[in-house]
Amino acid sequence: MPITLTAFEASPDRGRGLARDMQVRWALEELGLSYDVRLVSFAEMKQAEHLARQPFGQIPTCEEDGLTLFESGAIVHHLAERHAGLLPEDPAARARAIAWMFAAVSTVEPPIVEWAMARMLERDTPWFAARQPMLEDRVRTRLEQLADRLGAAEWLDGDFTAGDLLMVSVLRRLGRSPLLREQPRLVAYIARGEARPAFQRAFAAQRAVFEGQQSAG
């Protein structure tokens, strides 16, 4: 049976490829796997049918051969373990690639998300101006550390892996932020990821959902 992915029927990212099904779409395209997409509305995400797949009422979920998984990082890891192409065969290199996957979602992403959410939801609060420098410093520190580790390399550890896929996806959440522009090596790193044909196909597929909603509206 084909792999089935759930995604927003009307994504709040407005077609920018930031919704978390994007990482899974990208992984599927890198692995050359066909898949179906089940679009769900915000109301449907809170109903029993979807909650049975995703207990927190979020997207994405991925169904393959009777197995249903949630959490984009876990789904990418499962796909990369099951299908050749996103993890090295060498055990040590494979372990390092998986470590970078965890680093992306556990170390680099949290301060970026906290910074972004504060800018979105707290601008009118009395503490916003005082809190922003702290949040920016947290992001800046992680970016500096990551850029130092990347150095002049094309990817984080040898060839492109699922670790790069998740790390690029996380960094894309910064958009054109000055924090990111301070690190030209990371800007170039993101551009290399976005230039990959598999990324382009995944982005176009997600973008088509947004454009379809715009046309219907």
Side-chain angles (χ1 to χ4, degrees), residues 104-187:
V105 299
S106 298
T107 300
V108 178
E109 184 171 40
I112 290 175
V113 170
E114 187 177 13
W115 168 82
M117 293 303 291
R119 288 168 60 84
M120 184 183 305
L121 302 176
E122 298 179 7
R123 284 188 178 275
D124 297 330
T125 64
W127 61 81
F128 177 77
R131 194 163 175 261
Q132 271 298 291
M134 175 194 68
L135 297 180
E136 289 179 1
D137 284 345
R138 288 178 180 174
V139 175
R140 183 175 285 111
T141 295
R142 288 291 179 248
L143 296 182
E144 289 174 352
Q145 292 168 331
L146 182 62
D148 287 345
R149 182 57 182 263
L150 179 65
E154 186 174 14
W155 307 114
L156 290 169
D157 194 301
D159 294 334
F160 179 87
T161 72
D164 294 294
L165 187 152
L166 289 182
M167 190 66 76
V168 169
S169 298
V170 165
L171 294 175
R172 291 187 71 249
R173 306 189 75 82
L174 288 166
R176 298 181 180 179
S177 163
L179 293 171
L180 183 58
R181 293 200 298 271
E182 291 173 5
Q183 300 296 338
R185 283 178 291 186
L186 296 184
V187 173

Coordinates of all heavy atoms in Angstrom, one line a residue, residues 104-187:
A104 N 19.2 18.8 15.4 CA 18.3 19.8 14.7 C 17.0 20.1 15.5 O 16.6 21.2 15.7 CB 18.0 19.3 13.3
V105 N 16.3 19.0 15.9 CA 15.0 19.2 16.5 C 15.1 19.4 18.0 O 14.1 20.0 18.6 CB 14.1 17.9 16.3 CG1 13.9 17.8 14.8 CG2 14.7 16.7 16.9
S106 N 16.2 19.0 18.7 CA 16.2 19.2 20.2 C 17.1 20.3 20.6 O 16.9 20.8 21.7 CB 16.8 17.9 20.8 OG 15.9 16.8 20.5
T107 N 18.1 20.7 19.8 CA 19.0 21.8 20.3 C 18.9 23.1 19.5 O 18.9 24.1 20.1 CB 20.5 21.2 20.2 OG1 20.6 20.1 21.0 CG2 21.5 22.3 20.6
V108 N 18.8 23.0 18.2 CA 18.8 24.2 17.4 C 17.3 24.7 17.2 O 17.1 25.9 17.3 CB 19.4 23.9 16.0 CG1 19.3 25.1 15.1 CG2 20.8 23.4 16.1
E109 N 16.4 23.8 17.0 CA 15.0 24.3 16.8 C 14.3 25.0 18.0 O 13.7 26.1 17.8 CB 14.1 23.2 16.3 CG 12.7 23.6 15.9 CD 11.9 22.6 15.2 OE1 12.0 21.4 15.7 OE2 11.2 22.9 14.3
P110 N 14.4 24.5 19.2 CA 13.7 25.2 20.3 C 13.9 26.7 20.5 O 12.9 27.4 20.6 CB 14.1 24.3 21.5 CG 14.4 23.0 21.0 CD 15.0 23.2 19.7
P111 N 15.2 27.2 20.5 CA 15.3 28.6 20.6 C 14.8 29.4 19.4 O 14.3 30.5 19.6 CB 16.8 28.8 20.8 CG 17.4 27.6 20.3 CD 16.5 26.5 20.5
I112 N 14.9 28.8 18.2 CA 14.3 29.4 17.0 C 12.8 29.6 17.1 O 12.2 30.6 16.8 CB 14.8 28.7 15.8 CG1 16.3 28.8 15.5 CG2 14.0 29.2 14.6 CD1 16.8 28.0 14.4
V113 N 12.2 28.5 17.5 CA 10.7 28.5 17.7 C 10.3 29.5 18.7 O 9.3 30.3 18.6 CB 10.2 27.1 17.9 CG1 8.7 27.2 18.3 CG2 10.3 26.2 16.7
E114 N 11.0 29.5 19.9 CA 10.6 30.4 21.0 C 10.7 31.9 20.5 O 9.9 32.7 20.8 CB 11.4 30.2 22.2 CG 11.0 31.0 23.4 CD 11.8 30.6 24.7 OE1 12.8 30.0 24.6 OE2 11.3 31.1 25.8
W115 N 11.8 32.2 19.8 CA 12.1 33.5 19.3 C 10.9 33.9 18.3 O 10.4 35.0 18.4 CB 13.4 33.6 18.6 CG 13.7 34.8 17.8 CD1 14.1 36.0 18.2 CD2 13.6 34.9 16.4 NE1 14.2 36.9 17.1 CE2 13.9 36.2 16.0 CE3 13.2 34.0 15.4 CZ2 13.9 36.6 14.7 CZ3 13.2 34.4 14.0 CH2 13.5 35.7 13.7
A116 N 10.6 33.0 17.4 CA 9.6 33.3 16.4 C 8.2 33.5 17.0 O 7.5 34.4 16.6 CB 9.6 32.2 15.3
M117 N 7.9 32.6 17.9 CA 6.6 32.7 18.6 C 6.4 34.0 19.4 O 5.3 34.6 19.4 CB 6.3 31.5 19.4 CG 6.2 30.2 18.7 SD 4.9 30.2 17.4 CE 3.4 30.3 18.4
A118 N 7.5 34.4 20.0 CA 7.4 35.7 20.8 C 7.2 36.8 19.8 O 6.4 37.7 20.1 CB 8.7 35.9 21.6
R119 N 7.9 36.8 18.7 CA 7.7 37.9 17.7 C 6.2 37.9 17.2 O 5.7 39.0 16.8 CB 8.7 37.8 16.6 CG 10.1 38.1 17.0 CD 11.1 37.7 16.0 NE 10.9 38.4 14.7 CZ 11.3 39.6 14.4 NH1 12.0 40.3 15.3 NH2 11.1 40.1 13.2
M120 N 5.6 36.7 17.1 CA 4.3 36.6 16.5 C 3.2 37.0 17.6 O 2.2 37.6 17.2 CB 4.1 35.2 16.0 CG 2.8 35.0 15.3 SD 2.6 33.2 14.8 CE 4.1 32.9 13.9
L121 N 3.4 36.5 18.8 CA 2.3 36.6 19.8 C 2.5 37.6 20.9 O 1.6 37.9 21.6 CB 2.1 35.2 20.4 CG 1.8 34.1 19.4 CD1 1.7 32.7 20.2 CD2 0.5 34.3 18.7
E122 N 3.8 38.1 21.1 CA 4.0 38.9 22.3 C 4.4 40.4 22.0 O 4.7 41.1 22.9 CB 5.2 38.3 23.1 CG 4.8 36.9 23.6 CD 6.0 36.3 24.4 OE1 7.0 37.0 24.7 OE2 5.9 35.1 24.8
R123 N 4.3 40.8 20.7 CA 4.7 42.1 20.4 C 4.0 43.2 21.2 O 4.6 44.3 21.5 CB 4.5 42.4 18.9 CG 5.5 41.7 18.0 CD 5.3 42.1 16.6 NE 6.3 41.6 15.7 CZ 7.5 42.1 15.5 NH1 7.9 43.2 16.1 NH2 8.4 41.5 14.7
D124 N 2.7 43.0 21.6 CA 2.0 44.0 22.3 C 2.1 43.9 23.8 O 1.3 44.6 24.5 CB 0.5 44.0 21.9 CG 0.3 44.3 20.4 OD1 1.2 45.0 19.8 OD2 -0.6 43.7 19.8
T125 N 2.9 43.0 24.3 CA 3.0 42.8 25.7 C 4.1 43.7 26.3 O 5.0 44.1 25.6 CB 3.4 41.3 26.1 OG1 4.7 41.0 25.5 CG2 2.4 40.4 25.5
P126 N 4.0 44.1 27.6 CA 5.0 45.0 28.2 C 6.4 44.4 28.3 O 7.4 45.1 28.4 CB 4.4 45.3 29.5 CG 3.5 44.2 29.8 CD 2.9 43.8 28.5
W127 N 6.5 43.1 28.2 CA 7.8 42.4 28.4 C 8.5 42.1 27.1 O 9.6 41.6 27.1 CB 7.6 41.1 29.2 CG 6.7 40.1 28.6 CD1 7.0 39.2 27.6 CD2 5.3 39.9 28.9 NE1 5.9 38.4 27.2 CE2 4.9 38.8 28.0 CE3 4.4 40.5 29.8 CZ2 3.6 38.4 28.1 CZ3 3.1 40.0 29.8 CH2 2.7 39.0 29.0
F128 N 7.8 42.3 26.0 CA 8.4 41.9 24.7 C 9.8 42.5 24.5 O 10.8 41.8 24.1 CB 7.5 42.3 23.5 CG 8.0 42.0 22.2 CD1 8.0 40.7 21.7 CD2 8.6 43.0 21.4 CE1 8.5 40.4 20.4 CE2 9.1 42.7 20.1 CZ 9.1 41.4 19.6
A129 N 9.9 43.8 24.6 CA 11.2 44.5 24.3 C 12.3 44.0 25.2 O 13.5 43.9 24.8 CB 11.1 46.0 24.5
A130 N 12.0 43.7 26.5 CA 13.0 43.2 27.4 C 13.4 41.8 27.2 O 14.6 41.4 27.4 CB 12.5 43.4 28.9
R131 N 12.5 41.0 26.7 CA 12.7 39.6 26.5 C 13.4 39.3 25.2 O 14.2 38.3 25.1 CB 11.4 38.9 26.5 CG 11.5 37.4 26.7 CD 10.2 36.8 27.2 NE 10.2 35.4 27.2 CZ 9.7 34.5 26.3 NH1 9.2 35.1 25.2 NH2 9.8 33.2 26.4
Q132 N 13.2 40.1 24.1 CA 13.8 39.8 22.8 C 15.3 39.7 22.8 O 15.8 38.7 22.2 CB 13.3 40.9 21.8 CG 12.0 40.6 21.1 CD 12.1 39.3 20.3 OE1 12.7 39.2 19.3 NE2 11.3 38.3 20.8
P133 N 16.1 40.5 23.4 CA 17.5 40.4 23.4 C 18.0 39.0 23.9 O 18.9 38.4 23.4 CB 18.0 41.5 24.2 CG 17.0 42.6 24.2 CD 15.7 41.8 24.1
M134 N 17.3 38.5 25.0 CA 17.7 37.2 25.5 C 17.4 36.1 24.5 O 18.2 35.2 24.2 CB 16.9 36.9 26.8 CG 17.1 35.5 27.4 SD 15.9 35.1 28.6 CE 14.4 35.0 27.6
L135 N 16.2 36.2 23.9 CA 15.8 35.2 22.9 C 16.7 35.2 21.7 O 17.1 34.2 21.1 CB 14.4 35.4 22.4 CG 13.3 35.2 23.5 CD1 11.9 35.5 23.0 CD2 13.4 33.8 24.2
E136 N 17.1 36.4 21.2 CA 18.0 36.6 20.1 C 19.4 36.0 20.4 O 20.0 35.4 19.6 CB 18.1 38.1 19.7 CG 16.8 38.6 19.0 CD 17.0 40.1 18.7 OE1 18.1 40.6 18.9 OE2 16.0 40.6 18.2
D137 N 19.8 36.3 21.6 CA 21.2 35.7 22.0 C 21.2 34.2 22.0 O 22.2 33.6 21.6 CB 21.5 36.2 23.4 CG 22.0 37.7 23.4 OD1 22.3 38.2 22.3 OD2 22.1 38.3 24.5
R138 N 20.1 33.6 22.4 CA 20.0 32.1 22.4 C 20.1 31.6 21.0 O 20.8 30.6 20.7 CB 18.7 31.7 23.1 CG 18.7 31.8 24.6 CD 17.3 31.4 25.1 NE 17.3 31.5 26.6 CZ 16.2 31.3 27.3 NH1 15.0 30.9 26.7 NH2 16.2 31.5 28.6
V139 N 19.4 32.2 20.1 CA 19.4 31.8 18.7 C 20.8 32.1 18.1 O 21.4 31.2 17.5 CB 18.4 32.5 17.9 CG1 18.5 32.2 16.4 CG2 17.0 32.2 18.3
R140 N 21.3 33.3 18.4 CA 22.6 33.6 17.8 C 23.7 32.7 18.3 O 24.6 32.3 17.5 CB 23.0 35.1 18.3 CG 24.3 35.6 17.7 CD 24.5 37.0 18.1 NE 23.7 37.9 17.3 CZ 22.6 38.6 17.8 NH1 22.4 38.5 19.1 NH2 21.9 39.4 17.0
T141 N 23.7 32.2 19.5 CA 24.7 31.3 20.1 C 24.6 30.0 19.3 O 25.7 29.4 18.9 CB 24.5 31.0 21.6 OG1 24.7 32.3 22.3 CG2 25.4 30.0 22.1
R142 N 23.4 29.5 19.1 CA 23.3 28.2 18.4 C 23.8 28.3 17.0 O 24.4 27.4 16.4 CB 21.8 27.7 18.5 CG 21.4 27.2 19.8 CD 22.1 25.9 20.2 NE 21.8 25.5 21.5 CZ 22.6 25.4 22.6 NH1 23.8 25.9 22.4 NH2 22.1 25.0 23.7
L143 N 23.4 29.4 16.3 CA 23.8 29.6 14.9 C 25.4 29.7 14.8 O 26.0 29.2 13.9 CB 23.2 30.8 14.3 CG 21.6 30.8 14.2 CD1 21.1 32.1 13.5 CD2 21.2 29.6 13.5
E144 N 26.0 30.4 15.7 CA 27.4 30.6 15.7 C 28.1 29.2 15.9 O 29.1 28.9 15.2 CB 27.9 31.5 16.8 CG 27.5 33.0 16.6 CD 27.8 33.9 17.7 OE1 28.2 33.3 18.8 OE2 27.8 35.1 17.6
Q145 N 27.6 28.4 16.8 CA 28.1 27.1 17.1 C 28.0 26.2 15.9 O 28.9 25.4 15.5 CB 27.5 26.5 18.3 CG 27.8 27.2 19.6 CD 26.9 26.7 20.8 OE1 25.7 26.3 20.6 NE2 27.4 26.8 22.0
L146 N 26.8 26.2 15.3 CA 26.6 25.4 14.1 C 27.5 25.8 12.9 O 28.0 25.0 12.2 CB 25.1 25.5 13.7 CG 24.7 24.6 12.5 CD1 24.9 23.1 12.8 CD2 23.2 24.9 12.2
A147 N 27.6 27.1 12.7 CA 28.4 27.6 11.6 C 29.9 27.2 11.8 O 30.6 26.9 10.9 CB 28.3 29.1 11.5
D148 N 30.3 27.3 13.1 CA 31.7 26.9 13.4 C 31.9 25.5 13.1 O 33.0 25.1 12.5 CB 32.0 27.2 14.8 CG 32.2 28.7 15.1 OD1 32.3 29.5 14.2 OD2 32.2 29.1 16.3
R149 N 31.0 24.6 13.4 CA 31.1 23.2 13.2 C 31.1 22.9 11.7 O 31.8 22.0 11.2 CB 30.0 22.4 13.9 CG 30.1 20.9 13.8 CD 31.5 20.4 14.2 NE 31.6 19.0 14.0 CZ 31.4 18.1 15.0 NH1 31.1 18.5 16.2 NH2 31.5 16.8 14.7
L150 N 30.2 23.5 11.0 CA 30.0 23.3 9.5 C 31.3 23.7 8.8 O 31.8 23.0 7.9 CB 28.8 24.1 9.0 CG 28.6 24.0 7.5 CD1 28.2 22.5 7.1 CD2 27.5 24.9 7.0
G151 N 31.9 24.9 9.2 CA 33.1 25.4 8.6 C 32.9 25.6 7.1 O 31.9 26.1 6.6
A152 N 33.9 25.1 6.3 CA 33.8 25.2 4.9 C 33.2 24.0 4.2 O 33.2 23.9 3.0 CB 35.2 25.4 4.3
A153 N 32.7 23.1 5.0 CA 32.1 21.8 4.4 C 30.8 22.1 3.7 O 30.1 23.1 4.0 CB 31.9 20.8 5.5
E154 N 30.5 21.2 2.8 CA 29.2 21.3 2.1 C 28.0 20.9 3.0 O 27.0 21.5 3.1 CB 29.2 20.5 0.8 CG 28.0 20.7 0.0 CD 28.1 20.0 -1.4 OE1 29.0 19.1 -1.5 OE2 27.3 20.3 -2.3
W155 N 28.2 19.8 3.7 CA 27.2 19.2 4.6 C 27.8 19.0 6.0 O 29.0 19.1 6.2 CB 26.6 17.9 4.0 CG 26.1 18.1 2.6 CD1 26.6 17.6 1.5 CD2 25.0 19.0 2.2 NE1 25.9 18.0 0.4 CE2 24.9 18.8 0.8 CE3 24.1 19.8 2.9 CZ2 23.9 19.5 0.1 CZ3 23.1 20.5 2.1 CH2 23.0 20.3 0.7
L156 N 27.0 18.6 6.9 CA 27.5 18.5 8.3 C 28.5 17.4 8.6 O 29.4 17.5 9.4 CB 26.2 18.3 9.2 CG 25.3 19.5 9.4 CD1 24.0 19.1 10.1 CD2 26.0 20.6 10.1
D157 N 28.3 16.3 7.9 CA 29.3 15.2 8.1 C 29.4 14.3 6.8 O 28.7 13.3 6.7 CB 28.7 14.3 9.3 CG 29.8 13.3 9.8 OD1 30.3 12.5 9.0 OD2 30.1 13.4 11.0
G158 N 30.2 14.7 5.9 CA 30.3 14.0 4.7 C 29.2 14.3 3.7 O 28.9 15.5 3.4
D159 N 28.6 13.3 3.2 CA 27.5 13.4 2.2 C 26.2 13.9 2.9 O 26.1 13.8 4.1 CB 27.2 12.1 1.5 CG 28.4 11.7 0.6 OD1 29.2 12.5 0.2 OD2 28.5 10.5 0.4
F160 N 25.3 14.4 2.1 CA 24.0 14.8 2.6 C 23.3 13.7 3.2 O 23.3 12.6 2.7 CB 23.2 15.3 1.4 CG 21.8 15.8 1.7 CD1 21.5 17.1 2.2 CD2 20.7 14.9 1.7 CE1 20.2 17.5 2.5 CE2 19.4 15.3 2.0 CZ 19.2 16.6 2.4
T161 N 22.7 13.9 4.4 CA 22.0 12.9 5.2 C 20.7 13.5 5.7 O 20.4 14.7 5.6 CB 22.8 12.4 6.4 OG1 22.9 13.4 7.4 CG2 24.2 12.0 5.9
A162 N 20.0 12.6 6.4 CA 18.8 13.1 7.1 C 19.1 14.1 8.1 O 18.2 14.9 8.4 CB 18.0 11.9 7.7
G163 N 20.3 14.1 8.7 CA 20.7 15.2 9.6 C 20.7 16.5 8.9 O 20.2 17.5 9.5
D164 N 21.2 16.6 7.7 CA 21.1 17.9 7.0 C 19.7 18.2 6.6 O 19.3 19.4 6.7 CB 22.0 17.8 5.7 CG 23.4 17.6 6.0 OD1 24.1 18.5 6.5 OD2 24.0 16.5 5.7
L165 N 18.9 17.3 6.2 CA 17.5 17.5 5.8 C 16.8 18.2 6.9 O 16.1 19.2 6.7 CB 16.9 16.2 5.4 CG 15.5 16.3 4.8 CD1 15.2 15.1 3.9 CD2 14.4 16.3 5.9
L166 N 16.9 17.7 8.2 CA 16.2 18.3 9.3 C 16.8 19.6 9.7 O 16.1 20.5 10.1 CB 16.2 17.3 10.5 CG 15.3 16.1 10.3 CD1 15.3 15.2 11.6 CD2 13.8 16.5 10.0
M167 N 18.2 19.7 9.6 CA 18.8 20.9 10.0 C 18.4 22.1 9.1 O 18.1 23.2 9.6 CB 20.3 20.8 10.1 CG 21.0 21.9 10.8 SD 20.7 22.1 12.5 CE 21.7 20.8 13.2
V168 N 18.5 21.8 7.8 CA 18.1 22.9 6.9 C 16.6 23.3 7.1 O 16.3 24.5 7.1 CB 18.3 22.4 5.4 CG1 17.7 23.4 4.4 CG2 19.8 22.3 5.1
S169 N 15.8 22.3 7.3 CA 14.4 22.6 7.6 C 14.2 23.5 8.8 O 13.4 24.4 8.8 CB 13.6 21.3 7.8 OG 13.6 20.5 6.6
V170 N 14.9 23.2 9.8 CA 14.8 24.0 11.0 C 15.3 25.4 10.8 O 14.7 26.4 11.1 CB 15.7 23.4 12.2 CG1 15.9 24.4 13.3 CG2 15.0 22.1 12.7
L171 N 16.5 25.6 10.1 CA 17.0 26.9 9.8 C 16.1 27.7 8.9 O 16.1 29.0 9.0 CB 18.4 26.7 9.2 CG 19.5 26.1 10.1 CD1 20.8 25.9 9.3 CD2 19.8 27.0 11.3
R172 N 15.4 27.1 8.0 CA 14.5 27.8 7.1 C 13.4 28.6 7.9 O 12.9 29.6 7.4 CB 13.8 26.9 6.1 CG 14.8 26.3 5.1 CD 14.0 25.5 4.0 NE 13.3 26.4 3.2 CZ 12.0 26.5 3.1 NH1 11.2 25.7 3.9 NH2 11.4 27.3 2.3
R173 N 13.2 28.2 9.2 CA 12.2 28.9 10.0 C 12.6 30.3 10.3 O 11.8 31.2 10.7 CB 11.9 28.1 11.2 CG 11.5 26.7 11.0 CD 11.0 26.0 12.3 NE 9.6 26.5 12.6 CZ 8.5 26.0 12.1 NH1 8.6 25.0 11.2 NH2 7.4 26.4 12.4
L174 N 13.9 30.6 10.1 CA 14.4 32.0 10.4 C 14.1 32.9 9.3 O 14.3 34.2 9.4 CB 15.9 31.9 10.7 CG 16.3 31.3 12.0 CD1 17.8 31.0 12.0 CD2 15.9 32.3 13.2
G175 N 13.7 32.4 8.1 CA 13.4 33.3 7.0 C 14.6 34.2 6.6 O 15.8 33.7 6.5
R176 N 14.4 35.5 6.5 CA 15.4 36.4 6.2 C 15.9 37.2 7.4 O 16.3 38.3 7.3 CB 14.9 37.4 5.1 CG 14.5 36.7 3.8 CD 14.1 37.7 2.7 NE 13.7 37.0 1.5 CZ 13.3 37.7 0.4 NH1 13.1 39.0 0.4 NH2 13.0 37.0 -0.7
S177 N 15.8 36.6 8.5 CA 16.1 37.2 9.8 C 17.6 37.7 9.7 O 18.5 37.0 9.2 CB 16.0 36.3 10.9 OG 16.7 36.7 12.1
P178 N 17.9 38.9 10.3 CA 19.2 39.4 10.4 C 20.1 38.4 11.2 O 21.3 38.3 11.0 CB 19.1 40.7 11.2 CG 17.7 41.2 10.9 CD 16.9 39.9 10.8
L179 N 19.5 37.6 12.1 CA 20.3 36.6 12.9 C 20.9 35.6 12.0 O 22.0 35.2 12.2 CB 19.4 35.9 13.9 CG 18.8 36.8 15.0 CD1 17.8 36.0 15.8 CD2 19.9 37.2 16.0
L180 N 20.2 35.2 10.9 CA 20.7 34.2 10.0 C 21.7 34.9 9.1 O 22.7 34.3 8.7 CB 19.5 33.6 9.2 CG 19.9 32.5 8.2 CD1 20.6 31.4 8.9 CD2 18.7 32.1 7.4
R181 N 21.4 36.1 8.6 CA 22.3 36.8 7.7 C 23.7 37.0 8.4 O 24.7 37.3 7.6 CB 21.7 38.1 7.2 CG 20.5 37.9 6.3 CD 20.2 39.2 5.5 NE 19.9 40.3 6.3 CZ 18.7 40.7 6.7 NH1 17.7 39.9 6.4 NH2 18.6 41.8 7.5
E182 N 23.8 37.0 9.7 CA 25.1 37.1 10.4 C 26.0 35.9 10.1 O 27.2 36.0 10.4 CB 24.9 37.3 11.9 CG 24.2 38.6 12.3 CD 23.9 38.6 13.8 OE1 24.3 37.6 14.5 OE2 23.3 39.6 14.2
Q183 N 25.4 34.8 9.6 CA 26.1 33.6 9.4 C 26.0 33.2 7.9 O 25.2 32.3 7.5 CB 25.6 32.5 10.3 CG 25.6 32.8 11.7 CD 27.1 32.9 12.2 OE1 28.0 32.4 11.6 NE2 27.3 33.5 13.4
P184 N 26.9 33.8 7.0 CA 26.8 33.5 5.6 C 27.0 32.0 5.3 O 26.5 31.5 4.3 CB 27.9 34.4 5.0 CG 28.8 34.8 6.1 CD 27.9 34.8 7.3
R185 N 27.8 31.3 6.1 CA 28.0 29.9 5.8 C 26.7 29.1 6.0 O 26.4 28.2 5.2 CB 29.0 29.3 6.8 CG 30.5 29.7 6.4 CD 31.5 29.1 7.3 NE 31.4 29.8 8.6 CZ 32.3 29.6 9.6 NH1 33.2 28.7 9.5 NH2 32.2 30.3 10.8
L186 N 25.8 29.5 6.9 CA 24.5 28.9 7.1 C 23.6 29.3 6.0 O 22.7 28.5 5.6 CB 24.0 29.2 8.5 CG 24.8 28.7 9.6 CD1 24.0 28.9 11.0 CD2 25.1 27.2 9.5
V187 N 23.6 30.5 5.5 CA 22.8 31.0 4.4 C 23.1 30.1 3.2 O 22.2 29.7 2.5 CB 23.0 32.5 4.1 CG1 22.3 32.9 2.9 CG2 22.6 33.3 5.3

